[in-house]
Every structure is written in C-alpha cells, then in structure tokens.
Amino acid sequence: MKNRRFLKSALQKSLNAPDVSGEDRIFSALIDDLGLFYQAAEYAADAEPCFVHPRLLKKLQSAACFDASNAKTFAAEFAQYCHDFGENIVMPDETSAVKKIKKDYNLSCVNRQTAQRRITATRIFPSEYLTNLFAADKIYANIYQRLKESLQKAPATQEIVFMEEFRRTYNESIRCLQPADLLFIANKRLFKKYTHKLLAQVFQNQPIDLNDVLSLPFRGQELPFLRAYINRYRAHLLQTAACINRLCGKPELIGMAQLLLTDSKRFKRLFRDFYNCRADADTDDLLALNRAFVQIHRRLAIMHYLSASANALENQNLRPQDVKQQPELPAVSPQDELKKIEILLQKGQKDPDPKSKLAQICLRAHRDFSASVNHFEDLWIKFRGLSPR
C-alpha cells in the first residue's frame, strides 16, 4: 500500500512537471510564472507552440492512478529498485566499458540501482516508445523542410497559408468557451486586446518573444483550481502570437488580420477576394499539406511531452524517501557486476507492463503520429504528381 501511494504520487508529479533538461530536443519548454508547461518547436520556429489539453491531462492522471494500483510488474520492479537503492553498491566510473554503457543507455551513472530504476520507468513508458520518438523527430524534420521549401517557391500561396493559419487559430481561440468564462467574462476581451497589441508590434517590424506573451495576465490566474483554465488561454495566445510572427514585414496581411478582430464579415469577403487573386493550381494542395503538418506537429508535441514525463519519473521522482540507504559499497567484482547491470538494461528494452494504461497511451500516441504522417505523404504524392507508394 505504501509503495502504491508513492508510485501514484511519482507518476502524477512527472505528468504535471515533465523534465525537458539536458536533451537535444525538437521541442523546448516554455514555463510561465504559474509553473504551467508549454512547448515550442526549436527546429520549426514558425510552428505553433503546443500544450497538453486539460482533458488529456485528466486522462493521463487517471491512468497514473490505475497503473499505481494495478500494474503489478511496475510495482515489483520498483520494489526491487528499493532493495538495490538501500544496498547501494557502486561501480568505478572511469573504465572504458562503464563509459560505453553510460553513453549507449544515456545514464548519468552506471550501477545496479540506476539500471533497476530504468527498468521500473520502462514498465510504464516503454523503451520502444523512446526509440520511436527518435525516428519520429527525423521524419518531422524532413516533412517540415519539404513543406517549407514548397511554400517558399510559391510566395503568393505562402501568404494565403499564413492568413488561413491566423484565421483558424484566432477563431478557435476566441470561440473556445469554458465554464469559468461565465465568471471571468473579461478574459475574452483581454484575449482580443492582447492580439491587437501583438499585431501592432509586428506592424512596427518587432518580432514577438513568446516568453513575453506568457507574462500577460488573465483574470482568475491567482486561483490554483483554475490552472487548466488559464493554461488554455495562455496556450491559445501563444499559438496566435506564433501566427502573427509570420506576418512581420507584411503590412497588407497585418491589416487584414486586424480586420478579423473588428469586422469578421468584412474580413471574410476580403480574404475571399485575396484568395481568388493569388491562388494558383497548387494552392489548395499546399493548404491541405499545411493542415496535415499542423496535425503532425501537435501529435509529435504530445509524444515529446510523454517522453519528458518519463524523464521526470526516472530521474527525479522514483527516488524513495523512506528507504534507508547504506553507505556506498564498492563492487567486489566490478566485471561481474557490470555484466549484471548490462543484463538489467537489456531487460529494460522488453515489453512494458501489459496492464499499464500509460504505456498504451504512449504507444497509441506513436500510432496516431504515424497515421498523420501517412496522410501527409498521400497528399504529397497528389501534390507532386508522383506514383502511389
């Protein structure tokens, strides 16, 4: 029972505060003054920042509670980790063999308890998933580069894509109604006000710093139980700001964007005329490709969030507080101990706990990403006039 409570707490902490430090990632973290977590793509700087939707976070928290009580392999591996943690056998870390294992498995140090902690984490966050993520990053980079080059070759269509993205993002944000809006009706007005200010800023050819956007206040942010509500407002504002950044140096587009905020019907007519004047034979295909990329982008962001949660679980939250750790005990036979550690690390590459709901969510996230990639590639074949795969 004690271990179950600890594991539940460790999983929930990891989901609420994922660890993004010390890794070469496509996505980097943006943290606001409330400690809320968002992600921006460093590789695709003009792509929208992403956030974990409150409904998804609630589903993940529920899965964490289930796994802490029902994932028996997870609990058994943690119990073994507690034993190894207390025993505290250490290895010399200067040998070439130890350095190789440290590099191959991305470990901070090589010993039995660290290896066992890795196994415990992979019962919930499968090692297969992390391997998939590395490959997914390469696929994402390739798709982004192809789409970017295609849009640059069609500047008129690129401007249509920029305006369409701003229109879609702003309308999704301003039309999103949450129960707390009944009490904090000023937040919609604040959102529109901030959007006006950001458009005025890029009109002066001053790009927007997304960290500055996170400092803009919303009503109700001082109330802890409204964190998810504020998270969604700030995330939508970040996404809108990213779209506005694309309009920097394009006064005609900025003027059209401002019109959307003041007269949506007139904007609709103007945007239709704008589209008809600039569209060519490839415009619809490129718009469809861009929409498909947005889905790929969002799904990869979720994969990175889950990976960062796995890092937090393994490196920060799986350290038991009430297990007495003996003084360091150097391995009697380092070579034999190293073989045991390698066997443990190889065990960590095997299947996750079959009852783990978090493991299933991770694997489903990769399948969803792959489906989005396949959809993009089908559209790409149509766009380029290539033979079907």
Side-chain angles (χ1 to χ4, degrees):
M1 183 63 71
K2 180 177 65 177
N3 277 358
R4 287 180 181 178
R5 285 197 299 269
F6 176 85
L7 290 173
K8 176 182 174 182
S9 174
L11 285 168
Q12 290 181 330
K13 286 178 184 176
S14 303
L15 293 167
N16 285 328
D19 174 20
V20 294
S21 62
E23 288 200 16
D24 182 18
R25 292 173 172 273
I26 276 187
F27 286 85
S28 60
L30 294 168
I31 309 291
D32 68 10
D33 55 344
L34 301 179
L36 295 169
F37 172 84
Y38 313 86
Q39 291 184 111
E42 292 188 337
Y43 180 85
D46 56 347
E48 63 177 27
C50 296
F51 72 115
V52 182
H53 196 284
R55 283 199 299 271
L56 175 57
L57 186 57
K58 185 176 180 180
K59 180 180 179 180
L60 291 167
Q61 296 282 6
S62 174
C65 292
F66 177 89
D67 286 358
S69 299
N70 297 281
K72 294 181 180 178
T73 310
F74 177 51
E77 298 291 6
F78 177 71
Q80 180 61 47
Y81 166 64
C82 290
H83 170 78
D84 292 342
F85 178 83
E87 203 172 43
N88 200 18
I89 296 175
V90 297
M91 289 280 295
D93 59 359
E94 296 302 319
T95 69
S96 58
V98 168
K99 288 179 180 178
K100 184 178 185 303
I101 288 180
K102 189 183 294 188
K103 180 181 178 182
D104 290 347
Y105 290 93
N106 191 28
L107 295 172
S108 57
C109 62
V110 176
N111 53 45
R112 201 187 302 179
Q113 55 265 37
T114 303
Q116 185 61 39
R117 193 168 72 232
R118 169 66 56 84
I119 293 173
T120 306
T122 57
R123 297 292 76 95
I124 296 296
F125 295 101
S127 59
E128 173 196 351
Y129 174 80
L130 301 178
T131 304
N132 289 337
L133 181 61
F134 180 74
D137 283 348
K138 291 186 174 181
I139 293 170
Y140 173 90
N142 176 270
I143 286 175
Y144 172 76
Q145 195 61 36
R146 280 187 282 155
L147 178 60
K148 183 179 180 181
E149 289 174 359
S150 298
L151 288 172
Q152 287 174 341
K153 291 175 183 176
T157 292
Q158 186 178 50
E159 291 189 346
I160 292 172
V161 168
F162 288 171
M163 281 309 304
E164 170 62 21
E165 276 297 286
F166 173 76
R167 182 201 64 77
R168 177 190 60 80
T169 304
Y170 177 77
N171 282 339
E172 280 183 3
S173 306
I174 207 71
R175 292 171 183 172
C176 176
L177 293 175
Q178 305 172 70
D181 283 323
L182 297 174
L183 293 175
F184 301 100
I185 56 176
N187 279 333
K188 290 294 180 194
R189 292 196 297 271
L190 282 173
F191 189 94
K192 186 175 287 190
K193 175 186 172 183
Y194 295 151
T195 305
H196 267 298
K197 287 176 65 176
L198 295 173
L199 284 167
Q201 181 177 330
V202 296
F203 187 76
Q204 300 296 325
N205 289 325
Q206 299 174 9
I208 300 163
D209 185 335
L210 296 182
N211 284 298
D212 293 340
V213 175
L214 284 177
S215 66
L216 296 172
F218 283 98
R219 300 291 172 83
Q221 67 182 43
E222 68 282 355
L223 301 174
F225 62 90
L226 290 179
R227 282 170 61 86
Y229 168 71
I230 299 301
N231 169 243
R232 201 183 300 187
Y233 260 109
R234 287 194 168 165
H236 283 159
L237 189 61
L238 280 173
Q239 291 168 349
T240 303
C243 291
I244 293 172
N245 256 343
R246 291 171 143 191
L247 309 182
C248 201
K250 301 178 183 296
E252 181 184 3
L253 301 188
I254 295 170
M256 200 184 312
Q258 289 172 326
L259 186 61
L260 176 61
L261 276 62
T262 56
D263 190 340
S264 59
K265 289 184 179 179
R266 191 176 164 207
F267 167 84
K268 189 175 180 180
R269 292 194 300 270
L270 187 62
F271 182 61
R272 184 175 62 244
D273 293 341
F274 179 81
Y275 177 92
N276 291 336
C277 289
R278 299 184 177 229
D280 59 27
D282 291 334
T283 296
D284 286 343
D285 285 341
L286 285 168
L287 281 168
L289 283 166
N290 188 70
R291 285 192 289 269
F293 171 74
V294 169
Q295 187 179 62
I296 290 171
H297 175 79
R298 291 178 175 179
R299 286 181 168 176
L300 184 64
I302 293 300
M303 289 180 68
H304 271 272
Y305 161 76
L306 291 169
S307 172
S309 297
N311 287 339
L313 179 67
E314 179 182 345
N315 299 320
Q316 298 173 6
N317 299 321
L318 264 185
R319 302 174 185 272
Q321 302 298 317
D322 57 352
V323 176
K324 184 178 179 181
Q325 191 172 38
Q326 301 296 326
E328 289 186 351
L329 179 64
V332 176
S333 174
Q335 285 298 105
D336 290 342
E337 184 70 11
L338 194 60
K339 287 179 182 178
K340 292 178 182 177
I341 291 169
E342 285 190 274
I343 291 171
L344 287 173
L345 290 170
Q346 289 167 7
K347 181 182 176 183
Q349 306 296 310
K350 295 182 180 179
D351 293 337
D353 190 304
K355 288 191 175 181
S356 169
K357 288 190 174 183
L358 282 172
Q360 294 307 312
I361 289 172
C362 287
L363 298 174
R364 192 180 307 121
H366 180 253
R367 291 195 296 269
D368 289 345
F369 172 81
S370 297
S372 296
V373 168
N374 290 337
H375 176 58
F376 180 94
E377 296 297 352
D378 288 341
L379 293 173
W380 183 259
I381 288 169
K382 178 186 174 187
F383 167 60
R384 296 298 301 272
L386 302 173
S387 299
R389 288 174 292 167

